[in-house]
Amino acid sequence: GWKNVQYVDSGWAWAATIASGLPKGVFQTDLCWMLVPRNIPPVELTRQRVQKVRLVTGMSLPASFPSLQSSFTVPAHTSVKILLDNEVLTNAYPVLRFSKGKGADISLGYAEALFIDEGRDKDWKAQNKKGNRNEVDGKRFVGVKDELIADGGDDQEFTPLAWRTYRYLQMEITTAEEPLTINDLYGIFTGYPFQLKAKFTTGNDTLEKIFETGWRTARLDAMETYMDCPYYEQLQYVGDTRIQAMVSLYNAGDDRLMRNAIEQIDYSRMAEGITLSRYPTANAQQIPPFSLWWIGMLNDYYMYRNDPAFVQQFLPGERQVLQFFNKYQLADGSLENAPYWEFTDWAGGNGWQSGTPPLGADGCSAALDLQLLWAYEVAAKLEDSLGMKVFANEYKKRAAILAATVTRKYWDPSKQLFADTREKKDFSQHTNTLAILTGISTGDRAKALALRMISDTAITQATIYFQYYVNQALRQTGFGNLYLDRLQIWKDNLAMGLSTWAEISDINAARSDCHAWGASPNIEFFRTVLGIDTDAPGFNKIKIEPNLGSLSDVSGTMPHPRGEITVGYHLDLQGRMNAVIAIPKGTSGVFIWKGRERALQAGEQKIESW
């Protein structure tokens, strides 16, 4: 009863004082703990019921358990195993209420999915296949477990100090001399309190299911920070975070966790100049390309939120990141034997090792050179607008040298593709995507390159993560209408029973079942399909250029710093566009359809038979 107001705590010992607390920056001669105001809201705490029983051995249960509060009693000297299914993945504090049963052993196990029982061979190979996540027969439960022993009291309550991630929850009970009564079992959902403000309506159940699943994934990967996954590392990796932050802006219009992430990643920067790959963390890890994507996050914030002063304070950090890379550049701009883990994507093509793209005999990689080139181009724009012209000019100079080198060194005229290394043996979607995004390839040449890189299945394919960039390249080259035909990996996830997006493309053997770097459709349904994008810093100008694919009726609403943007499109039998568009006060925009443009003003406007 210690949670109740009536509980008398006079017998409790006082907590020991470690140090005094003072606001950061206040001087004190002795040890103090530096405090800063919390910049994000408290996490959500909402009660939720576990949905149903899938398997039970040792006794029968009430039909209403666990979806409704129901009690049952386990007799003395009895062992019971109950497999519960929440039907979708969740982050929650499980709450178990029970009475009596002195000496009974109770355990609660938590799993994203069950594992196929592959049997054991002489080599004791790993058993990591999960199969369809809805299936339980012939599978093994493997997961984090809480264990407790009942003391025989009435109305006891157990909840762990940390939230748990689970779709499947397995309760095992072994009673001693006294029966044990389970009074209730439920969860208290927790997470960053994002509110979904976006709507995407197509009449297509699959697309709307993808949107729903992406939002669930994004929510479960956001707590006090963004996280790569809730079940395993629970770490704020920059590559994941950039995509997650954009989902937050497009779906919730809430930038507070994004600001928090940008600040924390800046705090992590090493003396050498780069940020850590993930932060906060107890174990430092370096992925230099993620520092480049952090520069991309600065630009994302600059373009989509009207707060240039926030971005401006991080420009010194951006300069340090780029100076780190400059130390490893050759005279022609290529990175030579860049240190640490040069993770780019969990791709499995020729020459890729542990997510690192192929290196040539000269120690150089096209994918790494192009990521650096992209960062130089972004940083030059930020410095031009917010920083120092001398840095902008220097980054433009470095970018021009590197761009010329990439074209000379990696272009293969016989394959009409950019190669991964100077030897021109390996090719990937990654390198060619980045060649388009950096402007190395433009115009008709870029269009041909874009089609070639998605049609040539012999080259290394991007996984669910890096498809975010592949699809940007397609949209940039005018192939946004292909987007809705490129959702097979997300459809495969749904067909395999996932309620959130798996970490890698090999769904059957994916370790993590919840990685929000795969939630990019929750951005592209609005940015590509509905066509809504920023056309000036601060989202003060809006460009709307829909790519409807095979859709003829689609509508949506998304949050904007000044309000919301609403669009509705209908194509008549002749393929003519009929649209209703509303943009917020204080903005202007342009509507583009089949190469024609029409100016947009604040408020609602109709476009008929266009």
Side-chain angles (χ1 to χ4, degrees):
W2 64 272
K3 293 182 180 179
N4 298 326
V5 174
Q6 295 81 9
Y7 183 81
V8 178
D9 63 0
S10 58
W12 284 22
W14 288 99
T17 300
I18 299 173
S20 59
L22 285 173
K24 182 180 179 182
V26 174
F27 173 73
Q28 183 166 312
T29 55
D30 59 356
L31 175 68
C32 67
W33 197 276
M34 290 190 292
L35 304 176
V36 296
R38 181 181 178 89
N39 59 6
I40 57 174
V43 295
E44 177 182 341
L45 295 168
T46 303
R47 184 178 294 204
Q48 63 178 199
R49 304 296 309 186
V50 182
Q51 292 303 301
K52 62 184 179 182
V53 175
R54 295 296 297 272
L55 295 172
V56 58
T57 59
M59 67 175 294
S60 59
L61 299 174
S64 56
F65 178 82
S67 59
L68 298 175
Q69 181 176 351
S70 309
S71 63
F72 61 89
T73 299
V74 182
H77 303 296
T78 302
S79 292
V80 177
K81 182 183 291 186
I82 304 166
L83 179 65
L84 304 167
D85 185 356
N86 195 58
E87 297 189 325
V88 297
L89 200 66
T90 191
N91 294 334
Y93 293 93
V95 179
L96 178 66
R97 294 180 53 233
F98 56 96
S99 299
K100 304 300 183 183
K102 184 175 178 62
D105 184 89
I106 308 169
S107 72
L108 292 173
Y110 317 97
E112 291 185 308
L114 305 185
F115 289 80
I116 296 172
D117 192 348
E118 302 175 61
R120 292 287 191 184
D121 64 12
K122 61 182 177 64
D123 297 320
W124 289 83
K125 68 178 181 181
Q127 298 191 49
N128 61 357
K129 293 182 173 58
K130 298 178 180 177
N132 191 297
R133 304 316 195 260
N134 296 326
E135 297 171 356
V136 301
D137 293 337
K139 290 190 172 182
R140 302 173 300 118
F141 185 98
V142 180
V144 175
K145 183 184 291 186
D146 290 311
E147 294 185 83
L148 56 144
I149 297 174
D151 71 355
D154 288 322
D155 200 22
Q156 298 289 295
E157 181 178 291
F158 168 77
T159 187
L161 297 178
W163 46 269
R164 305 300 189 210
T165 298
Y166 57 88
R167 172 180 170 172
Y168 289 101
L169 195 159
Q170 182 162 279
M171 181 162 56
E172 297 183 72
I173 301 169
T174 300
T175 54
E177 301 295 328
E178 183 181 30
L180 173 76
T181 297
I182 300 298
N183 301 115
D184 200 9
L185 175 64
Y186 58 90
I188 298 176
F189 171 83
T190 188
Y192 182 90
F194 280 122
Q195 298 293 317
L196 179 61
K197 295 182 179 179
K199 296 179 182 178
F200 181 65
T201 306
T202 65
N204 183 304
D205 291 342
T206 299
L207 295 181
E208 293 178 14
K209 186 69 173 178
I210 290 172
F211 179 68
E212 171 195 332
T213 303
W215 178 244
R216 180 181 300 110
T217 310
R219 288 229 58 197
L220 296 188
D221 281 330
M223 196 70 63
E224 301 278 354
T225 66
Y226 291 109
M227 301 179 293
D228 63 323
C229 56
Y231 195 91
Y232 295 97
E233 291 94 335
Q234 302 175 1
L235 288 169
Q236 186 168 245
Y237 281 87
V238 183
D240 309 59
T241 297
R242 185 181 183 219
I243 296 172
Q244 291 170 272
M246 289 298 292
V247 173
S248 303
L249 297 187
Y250 264 91
N251 288 188
D254 186 338
D255 61 25
R256 290 172 292 182
L257 201 60
M258 181 182 189
R259 291 167 60 93
N260 191 59
I262 289 171
E263 288 181 345
Q264 290 183 336
I265 295 161
D266 185 56
Y267 294 158
S268 81
R269 209 171 49 252
M270 301 166 61
E272 293 175 70
I274 55 169
T275 67
L276 296 182
S277 67
R278 59 197 188 192
Y279 196 78
T281 178
N283 299 302
Q285 182 195 73
Q286 300 79 18
I287 300 179
F290 278 13
S291 294
L292 302 177
W293 295 130
W294 175 72
I295 295 174
M297 286 184 67
L298 297 179
N299 188 62
D300 292 340
Y301 191 91
Y302 178 56
M303 294 301 294
Y304 288 91
R305 313 308 285 175
N306 194 17
D307 188 2
F310 176 79
V311 178
Q312 194 170 32
Q313 66 183 305
F314 299 105
L315 295 185
E318 158 252 294
R319 295 163 194 159
Q320 290 185 42
V321 166
L322 293 176
Q323 185 56 33
F324 166 88
F325 282 90
N326 185 241
K327 290 185 296 185
Y328 298 97
Q329 286 185 269
L330 300 171
D332 66 2
S334 272
L335 287 166
E336 180 187 36
N337 295 320
Y340 300 116
W341 185 21
E342 300 294 335
F343 176 88
T344 298
D345 186 22
W346 283 125
N350 292 334
W352 287 74
Q353 294 184 350
S354 300
T356 300
L359 286 179
D362 58 356
C364 301
S365 160
L368 300 183
D369 284 349
L370 283 162
Q371 287 176 82
L372 177 57
L373 172 58
W374 182 88
Y376 275 138
E377 292 173 345
V378 170
K381 293 176 184 177
L382 290 174
E383 293 286 357
D384 251 339
S385 300
L386 303 174
M388 300 175 68
K389 297 295 183 183
V390 64
F391 282 108
N393 293 336
E394 177 63 21
Y395 296 153
K396 290 174 186 177
K397 176 183 174 182
R398 294 181 191 176
I401 293 171
L402 186 49
T405 295
V406 167
T407 302
R408 172 183 54 79
K409 193 175 190 178
Y410 301 117
W411 177 251
D412 187 328
S414 63
K415 286 188 173 292
Q416 291 290 294
L417 289 167
F418 286 91
D420 289 339
T421 65
R422 185 179 62 180
E423 289 81 2
K424 300 182 175 63
K425 294 180 180 179
D426 302 317
F427 300 82
S428 66
Q429 286 185 339
H430 309 74
T431 292
N432 289 280
T433 287
L434 292 164
I436 293 170
L437 294 180
T438 55
I440 290 285
S441 185
T442 58
D444 290 340
R445 182 173 173 177
K447 289 178 180 292
L449 182 61
L451 292 177
R452 196 171 295 113
M453 74 176 183
I454 63 170
S455 61
D456 188 345
T457 56
I459 69 174
T460 299
Q461 303 292 296
T463 72
I464 190 171
Y465 159 55
F466 212 83
Q467 287 295 334
Y468 175 72
Y469 297 102
V470 174
N471 287 316
Q472 283 190 54
L474 291 174
R475 184 167 62 96
Q476 185 169 307
T477 49
F479 295 116
N481 276 316
L482 298 179
Y483 180 73
L484 292 175
D485 296 325
R486 292 180 44 77
L487 297 173
Q488 191 58 48
I489 190 170
W490 290 271
K491 294 176 183 177
D492 290 344
N493 271 252
L494 295 179
M496 288 286 277
L498 279 94
S499 60
T500 49
W501 305 128
E503 177 180 7
I504 60 175
S505 298
D506 183 0
I507 304 167
N508 187 41
R511 185 189 62 149
S512 166
D513 273 6
C514 186
H515 256 63
W517 68 9
S520 57
N522 284 56
I523 306 166
E524 302 310 334
F525 283 166
F526 297 90
R527 185 165 63 182
T528 297
V529 180
L530 298 181
I532 305 169
D533 202 2
T534 178
D535 204 26
F539 219 159
N540 291 315
K541 292 183 179 179
I542 301 164
K543 181 174 73 171
I544 301 180
E545 185 175 7
N547 296 278
L548 304 185
S550 60
L551 298 176
S552 58
D553 281 280
V554 58
S555 62
T557 299
M558 64 164 283
H560 181 277
R562 298 178 183 269
E564 64 180 23
I565 302 169
T566 299
V567 299
Y569 307 128
H570 169 71
L571 299 183
D572 62 23
L573 295 177
Q574 287 73 42
R576 292 174 298 194
M577 169 62 74
N578 295 274
V580 178
I581 299 170
I583 61 175
K585 291 181 179 180
T587 66
S588 62
V590 61
F591 179 74
I592 303 172
W593 178 250
K594 294 184 177 180
R596 294 183 292 168
E597 297 186 8
R598 178 175 293 188
L600 298 174
Q601 305 301 322
E604 182 180 295
Q605 46 242 284
K606 294 182 179 180
I607 298 172
E608 297 178 335
S609 299
W610 209 46

